[in-house]
Amino acid sequence: MIRPIKKVLVANRGEIAVRIIRTLKDMGIRSVAIFSDVDRDSLHVQIADESICIGPKNVKDSYLNKVQIINAALVTGADAIHPGFGFLSENSSFAKLCEIYEIKFIGPSSRLISLMGDKEEAKRLMKEAGLPVVEGSETVVENIELAKIICEQIGYPIIIKARSGGGGKGMRLVREGQDLESAFMSARKEAENAFGDKEVYIEKYIDDPRHIEVQILADEHGNVVHLGSRDCSIQMNHQKIIEEAPATSIRDETMNYLYDMATRAAKYVGYTNAGTIEFLVDKDGKAYFMEMNTRIQVEHPVTEMITGIDIIREQINIASMEKLAYEQKDITFTGHAIECRINAYDEDNNFMPSVGRIEGLNIPGGYGVRIDSSIYQGYMVLPFYDSMLVKLIAYGKDRKNAIDIMKRALDEFVIDGIKTNIGFNKEIMRDEVFVANEHTTSYLQGKRR
Ligand code: ADP
C-alpha cells in the first residue's frame, strides 16, 4: 500500500538541506527546515515552506538534538524526516525514535543502520554474503599485545581503523612493526575524542588502490538496482576531495563484478532506500569491500548526472512504499560527471576553516555546469559548522570534456570575503596524473608531503 508523504522535515542544514528542499518542491511536498539560533538567515530556512528553531548554535543541542527534532516534526505535522548526510543520518537510535513516533525516516530501518554502522559486524555479514573483504582482525583489538600478534599474522603494512570511524578519523597507517605501538595508542585516543568510542580494529593496508563505490536503490518490496559506479580516489588524509562517475579506470569485467556484489549485499541484508557500497580496487584489479553507507552521500550528484535519476526523489518514493519504477535494464549511463567540493578553507594556512561574510559572489554557469550551494551574497559563513559551502558539478560527453568544463567553471567562480579551496581544485584539474586518470588514493598525500 502506497503511503504518500505530504510534509517532510529536513533534519540538516547547508547545501544538502537546500538540495533536499528543492526536490520536495519539485514533487509538490511541503518542506520544514530546522535551524539553530545562529542559522536563521541560512538559505535552507529561506527556501523552505516552514521553519522551526531547534536550539542554540552548538550542534549537540540543535542539529544533533534528537528529542528536539522529533518534537519539531510533531509540532509541524511532518509525516517524514530526511536526515541528509552527517548529523543524525547514520544514528540508529534517531531512526528508532522516528519509528516509535511513526514519523517515516527517509532511509533504511534503525536495525540496518546499526548493523552496517558497526564496521566489524558489517564486514562479517558481507563476508557471509560472499563479498571479498580485506584481511584483518575479526573483532576489535583491545590491547597492544593482541595488536602485535595480529599484525605479524597478516603482515605489514596494516591500517588501524576506528570501529565508529568516519571521515578518516582514528585511522593510522603502519608500515613497520616498530611504529605499531605509538600508532595504536594515538588512533585509540583520536577515536575516543572524535566518536566517544576508542575501539579500533586492524586491516591489511592495500597499497595505492582506487576508491570505487556503487550506488544502489532498494525498495520495500525486495527490488534492488544499482546506479553505476563512482570513483573517489582523489583524497587527502583518507577524505574524499573530488568524485566522478562513472569509474572509467576500472575494467568492465571488474566493474560488473562489483555491481553484482553490491546488489547481492543489499539483498542479503534486506536493505531498503538509497545506499552505497564502497570498495578498494588494487593495481591488479583485485577488489575488497570496505563499508556500506546507509544514507545519501555528498557525491550523489555525479550519479544523477550520468543516469538522469534524482536520487532524493527516489528516496522519497521508496519511503512512500512505492515500487521502483524501473528494472536494471532500464538504467543507462551517459557522459561523465565530476564534482568539486568548494570549502571555506585557507589554502595557505594548512586548510584551516575560514569564516566571514561573503562580500562578492560570481557563480559559474553555462552548458554542463550544476551548482548545489548554500551561499548567497552577504551570507555569513559561521565557524560552528562544516566548511563545505558549494558542490560544483561538471557534466560532459566524456571525462576530458567534463574536466574542461570544470576548469572553465572554476575559473569563473569568485567568492570574495572568505578563503576557499577553488585554487586547489584548479590545480588538480590541471594535474597531469589526474588528467591521465592514473592517480590512486595516496596520490595527493604523496604530492603534498
Ligand atoms: P571512513 O569511514 O573514515 O570514511 P573508510 O573505511 O570509508 O573510512 O575509508 C576511507 C579511506 O581510507 C578509503 O577511501 C581509503 O583511501 C582508505 N582506506 C581505508 N581502509 C583501507 C585499507 N585497508 N587499505 C588502504 N586504504 C584504506
Side-chain angles (χ1 to χ4, degrees), residues 300-356:
H300 76 276
V302 290
T303 299
E304 296 184 326
M305 300 314 288
I306 65 159
T307 56
I309 292 172
D310 176 341
I311 299 176
I312 303 283
R313 179 187 284 263
E314 296 302 321
Q315 286 194 290
I316 294 164
N317 286 341
I318 292 169
S320 311
M321 300 296 292
E322 281 186 30
K323 282 192 177 152
L324 286 176
Y326 32 74
E327 294 172 31
Q328 193 62 54
K329 65 174 170 41
D330 304 321
I331 296 165
T332 52
F333 308 111
T334 313
H336 195 94
I338 301 180
E339 172 181 283
C340 287
R341 302 178 180 203
I342 309 299
N343 291 66
Y345 278 161
D346 188 349
E347 293 178 316
D348 303 322
N349 186 12
N350 214 11
F351 289 84
M352 290 291 283
S354 166
V355 295

Side-chain angles (χ1 to χ4, degrees), residues 359-414:
E359 306 287 357
L361 184 63
N362 184 58
I363 300 257
Y367 187 84
V369 175
R370 166 174 170 179
I371 294 274
D372 280 21
S373 158
S374 60
I375 58 172
Y376 54 85
Q377 184 133 352
Y379 174 71
M380 185 77 191
V381 179
L382 301 166
F384 320 110
Y385 308 114
D386 196 271
S387 50
M388 190 176 75
L389 303 178
V390 179
K391 293 185 318 208
L392 171 57
I393 300 110
Y395 175 66
K397 65 179 175 9
D398 54 26
R399 189 169 187 270
K400 178 174 183 313
N401 188 216
I403 293 175
D404 287 339
I405 291 172
M406 182 63 91
K407 283 198 269 195
R408 178 248 293 168
L410 286 164
D411 286 345
E412 280 179 27
F413 214 148
V414 179

Side-chain angles (χ1 to χ4, degrees), residues 208-233:
D208 291 332
R210 304 282 292 216
H211 173 120
I212 307 295
E213 52 187 44
V214 178
Q215 173 76 55
I216 59 121
L217 288 177
D219 66 19
E220 305 210 3
H221 308 275
N223 303 303
V224 180
V225 293
H226 72 78
L227 299 187
S229 59
R230 291 189 289 257
D231 187 325
C232 314
S233 302

